[in-house]
Amino acid sequence: HEVLGIEVPMATAIADAAGARRDYLDETGGRYVHLVAYGDVLTGGDIAKAIACGADAVMLGEPLAAAAEAPGQGWYWDPTVSHPKQPRSWLHWSRSDGSETESPPALSEVLLGPTADASGARNIFGALRRAMAKCGYSSLKEFQKVELTVAR
């Protein structure tokens, strides 16, 4: 899981859903269904992998909850949790060297950078752009059609 970024079941689920979407597109004469990846999408690398598997968008609740501007001040309540008073996870940011940060990152740093954090949890769209560029793609629609190999 650490190497792939998104787990194999999610990667194959997105790829299978994207294949079903192509079939549906053909059957309906052009009716396009958007595919949203949700679950354990935490870094720019995770986003790039979800898009490469065929997703049109990703849910970013947990990464956005860590931003200084987030109303939950680091608390993230996942919609799949059933208890309304118990938060599922507490996001605690630390530097890449393992030392604690003094304050949470700004939303602009989480989304767009620049950042000195090399974990991929900040500048997530910069990471997506870099992954696409390294693979030779300039648009998301092209990147959704990249050749994949999924190993278990």
Side-chain angles (χ1 to χ4, degrees):
H1 165 201
E2 290 294 323
V3 174
L4 184 59
I6 58 175
E7 295 180 22
V8 171
M10 182 176 198
T12 56
I14 294 169
D16 290 348
R21 173 182 56 204
R22 279 189 300 278
D23 294 343
Y24 183 74
L25 187 69
D26 292 340
E27 292 170 6
T28 60
R31 189 169 191 192
Y32 189 84
V33 176
H34 293 278
L35 181 58
V36 179
Y38 174 59
D40 288 334
V41 180
L42 304 173
T43 68
D46 297 340
I47 294 170
K49 292 166 193 155
I51 300 293
C53 289
D56 293 297
V58 296
M59 291 286 290
L60 290 178
E62 197 164 344
L64 299 181
E69 297 90 341
Q73 300 173 344
W75 287 94
Y76 174 65
W77 181 257
D78 190 287
T80 61
V81 177
S82 60
H83 196 285
K85 294 182 181 178
Q86 301 281 327
R88 182 172 180 170
S89 64
W90 169 252
L91 300 176
H92 181 73
W93 286 91
S94 51
R95 293 189 180 127
S96 57
D97 64 3
S99 63
E100 293 184 10
T101 59
E102 291 152 14
S103 62
L107 180 61
S108 61
E109 181 183 347
V110 171
L111 294 176
L112 306 170
T115 185
D117 182 4
S119 71
R122 299 185 190 177
N123 189 16
I124 55 180
F125 290 111
L128 173 60
R129 284 191 301 270
R130 175 175 242 165
M132 289 173 54
K134 285 190 177 256
C135 294
Y137 293 92
S138 59
S139 79
L140 290 176
K141 283 297 175 194
E142 291 175 353
F143 195 53
Q144 284 179 314
K145 298 173 185 165
V146 68
E147 187 175 328
L148 296 175
T149 301
V150 178
R152 292 180 188 235

